[in-house]
């Protein structure tokens, strides 16, 4: 059985949280929310997580107690949005034993890093790692396909004396397209587009991708056999399931055609499947359980780690941090209702009505929040309300979905923030009322320059005063245009290039003097 471990060293992360103590009375709720979000992103930087996970000991490398010998036998491959920074740090640590490397990274990332002054995330001029850029607009293309072929070739040439370090981060699926013949790249891409547009989850998308790829679903490790494979993973999937992150290129597992067909049937795509896809799904799945012993997988960064560090920063800023769940999913409409109910529950000056509690317990499982997590969170919020603990920072993470009904610009974080703003409508305005933030840790929410947005109870009236019809923007999935026009874009969350990706961070700041009635 392949080995898997989640790496997290609490002590180093403490150092990531700024030790400065700004005067809280001079900071707005929005500013404090942005600082908490920044701490979450800082905790999962690509160079930081690699540095924490790798320790050199003479001519060997130790990863969570597992020692691997280095005898000028190290080869490196990688794919994902954060992989360039991961590779640069890995080469700094083990470059003296590196023979060759190939990484597949987003188109234009090297130039972008230079422009943003992030040279520490770039490879040195004499690097032995070849960088191949592709996947424009986060979609598989021929450049990414060529990189995948080169990675497959490198892995196939290794022997039992070699060590293959595999670096994986969010966006890895699009940067490692290797469709099984006779499937063509554009056929696989079109099928993925249809699934995403229909509202398929990342788990469902990856289930289909793994079944149609040479390298996903354990294919990369299979090609590298009999070499020792060590994979370091920045997780962008809820629950950190290794078989789904970048579609599991180093994780053996049976791809059951009935599971794939079930997903395709759920979104009514079976009748439009290309003949090539039907042909591949009808072939037997290769078995390679013996090769799994040569694979060591380690999650070195995740949404849970980001939320933990966000909580540390929130405490420094005067909040009591409460983590609801790192697994929020489901439609943003339902997610926004849950956050609205939580806000009213926390802001109620009297015992909240049973109807609110019942509705939250109903919504929770629909959006990936376990019932016991809701009970625990309500207990903390209730005690904070009755005992006057002070301001509270409710944190959550995950990756909700948006069902596309229009052709506007936006993303799940901006649409979620917009919908939560409507849910908060009957509460007080800041600083006496709650503030909600939703942001993608990769810094890009959909095809926009924003990571998300920040909203509060005044959103509806603010939009009305500026002649913006919220319903029209929501119907057209045009949340970015809405927030760009609202108060000159002041509500947009634009952190710039983050160089990482561990899904989204949701945050509800609740002041101690909050009240439902304005």
């Amino acid at each position: 059985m392949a080995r898997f471990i989640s790496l997290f060293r609490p002590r180093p992360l403490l150092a990531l949280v700024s030790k400065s103590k700004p005067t809280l009375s001079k900071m707005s709720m929005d500013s404090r929310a942005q600082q908490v979000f920044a701490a979450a992103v800082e905790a999962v930087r690509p160079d930081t997580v690699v540095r924490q996970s790798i320790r050199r000991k003479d001519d060997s490398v130790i990863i969570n107690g597992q020692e691997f010998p280095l005898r000028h036998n190290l080869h490196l491959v990688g794919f994902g949005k954060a992989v360039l920074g991961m590779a640069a740090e890995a080469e700094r640590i083990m470059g003296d034993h590196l023979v060759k490397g190939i990484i597949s990274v987003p188109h234009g990332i090297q130039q972008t890093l230079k422009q943003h002054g992030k040279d520490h995330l770039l490879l040195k001029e004499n690097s032995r790692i070849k960088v191949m850029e592709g996947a424009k607009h986060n979609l598989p293309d021929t450049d990414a396909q060529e990189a995948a072929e080169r990675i497959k070739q490198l892995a196939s040439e290794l022997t039992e004396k070699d060590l293959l370090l595999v670096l994986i981060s969010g966006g890895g699926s699009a940067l490692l397209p290797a469709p099984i013949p006779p499937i063509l790249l554009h056929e696989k891409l079109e099928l993925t587009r249809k699934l995403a547009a229909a509202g398929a989850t990342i788990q469902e998308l990856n289930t289909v991708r793994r079944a149609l790829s040479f390298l996903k679903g354990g294919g990369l490790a299979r090609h590298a056999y009999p070499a020792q494979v060590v994979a370091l993973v920045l997780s962008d999937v809820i629950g950190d399931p290794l078989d789904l992150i970048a579609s599991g290129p180093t994780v053996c597992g049976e791809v059951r055609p009935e599971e794939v067909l079930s997903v395709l049937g759920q979104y009514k795509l079976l009748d439009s499947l290309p003949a090539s896809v039907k042909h591949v799904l009808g072939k037997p799945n290769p078995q390679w359980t013996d090769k799994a012993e040569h694979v060591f997988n380690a999650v070195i960064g995740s949404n849970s780690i980001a939320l933990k560090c966000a909580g540390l920063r929130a405490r420094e800023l005067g909040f009591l941090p409460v983590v609801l769940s790192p697994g929020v999913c489901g439609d943003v409409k339902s997610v926004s209702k849950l956050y609205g109910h939580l806000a009213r529950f926390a802001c109620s000056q009297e015992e909240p009505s049973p109807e609110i509690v019942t509705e939250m317990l109903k919504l929770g499982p629909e959006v990936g929040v376990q019932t016991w997590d809701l009970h625990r969170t309500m207990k903390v919020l209730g005690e904070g309300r009755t005992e006057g603990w002070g301001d509270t920072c409710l944190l959550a993470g995950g990756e909700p979905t948006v069902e596309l009904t229009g052709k506007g610009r936006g993303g799940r974080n901006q649409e979620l923030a917009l919908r939560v703003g409507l849910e908060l409508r009957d509460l007080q305005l800041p600083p006496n009322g709650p503030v909600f933030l939703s942001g993608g840790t990769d810094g890009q929410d959909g095809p926009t320059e924003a990571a998300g947005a920040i909203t509060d109870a005044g959103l509806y009236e603010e939009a009305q005063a500026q002649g913006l019809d919220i319903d029209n923007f929501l119907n057209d999935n045009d949340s970015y245009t809405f927030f760009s026009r609202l108060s000159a874009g002041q509500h947009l969350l634009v952190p710039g290039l983050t160089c990482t990706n561990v899904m989204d961070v949701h945050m509800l700041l609740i002041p101690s003097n909050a009240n439902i009635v304005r």
Side-chain angles (χ1 to χ4, degrees), residues 3 131 202 346 395:
R3 289 160 289 172
V131 179
I202 186 65
L395 292 162

Side-chain angles (χ1 to χ4, degrees), residues 144-455:
Q145 188 174 14
E146 181 182 353
E149 178 61 32
R150 295 283 294 275
I151 287 173
K152 179 164 72 76
Q153 181 181 353
L154 183 153
S156 300
E157 295 173 351
L158 301 179
T159 71
E160 68 277 2
K161 297 180 181 179
D162 293 313
L163 173 63
L164 179 64
L165 182 65
V166 183
L167 306 176
I168 305 173
S169 75
S173 286
L175 288 159
L176 197 72
I180 299 173
I183 300 175
L184 301 176
L185 180 60
H186 74 85
E187 291 176 325
K188 185 180 175 185
L189 178 58
E190 182 62 23
L191 181 58
T192 303
R193 281 174 174 163
K194 288 180 179 179
L195 280 169
T201 65
I202 186 65
Q203 290 87 349
E204 291 168 332
L205 286 168
N206 279 344
T207 294
V208 175
R209 287 168 177 159
R210 286 189 304 134
L212 308 180
S213 173
F214 259 136
L215 297 179
K216 292 161 186 172
L220 177 59
R222 185 165 63 249
H223 280 85
Y225 182 79
Q228 171 68 58
V229 176
V230 177
L232 304 182
V233 184
L234 251 175
S235 173
D236 69 331
V237 181
I238 289 173
D240 309 329
L242 287 168
D243 60 326
L244 293 182
I245 302 169
S247 304
T250 60
V251 181
C252 66
E254 183 179 1
V255 179
R256 296 182 176 87
E258 58 268 25
E259 293 181 10
V260 181
L261 294 173
S262 175
V263 172
L264 296 172
Q266 178 183 344
Y267 295 103
K268 299 178 175 57
L269 295 174
L270 285 175
D271 293 339
S272 61
L273 284 182
S276 59
V277 173
K278 293 179 180 178
H279 173 74
V280 169
L281 291 179
K283 295 168 62 177
N285 179 50
Q287 300 296 317
W288 59 294
T289 53
D290 58 321
K291 301 175 178 63
E293 294 297 331
H294 295 262
V295 181
F296 181 84
N297 292 299
V299 173
I300 62 174
S302 67
N303 191 268
S304 294
I305 292 175
L307 293 181
K308 181 179 180 66
C309 204
L312 295 173
R313 184 61 179 143
R315 190 177 295 277
E316 286 195 343
L317 293 172
F319 294 97
L320 171 69
V322 182
V323 176
L324 172 65
S325 170
V328 177
C329 58
D331 193 283
V332 292
K333 296 176 184 176
S334 299
V335 176
S336 65
K337 290 179 181 178
L338 177 61
Y339 287 139
H341 287 314
L342 283 167
R344 282 187 287 277
F345 179 92
C347 295
S348 177
Q349 295 301 301
E350 301 177 353
E351 189 68 23
S353 68
E355 289 78 13
I356 290 181
V357 175
T358 300
E359 185 63 20
M360 282 195 291
L361 293 176
K362 176 185 176 182
L363 281 171
E366 294 179 10
V367 298
V369 180
Q370 300 296 322
T371 300
W372 73 272
D373 279 326
L374 276 171
H375 279 297
R376 172 183 52 81
T377 300
M378 286 189 288
K379 182 176 185 295
V380 174
L381 293 178
E383 291 174 351
R385 181 183 63 249
T386 58
E387 300 180 18
W389 285 354
D391 299 344
T392 303
C393 175
L394 181 67
L395 292 162
E399 196 165 78
T401 56
V402 174
E403 185 175 356
L404 298 179
T405 58
K407 298 181 179 180
R409 296 182 67 198
R412 59 182 178 267
N413 286 285
Q414 293 165 83
E415 182 156 333
L416 177 59
L418 179 51
R419 291 184 180 278
V420 172
L422 292 178
E423 293 289 335
L424 301 179
R425 185 177 172 185
D426 56 348
L427 302 180
Q428 288 190 357
L429 300 177
N432 299 318
V435 165
F436 179 78
L437 177 150
S438 183
T441 56
D442 63 355
Q444 184 177 19
D445 185 39
T448 76
E449 65 178 4
I454 306 174
T455 57

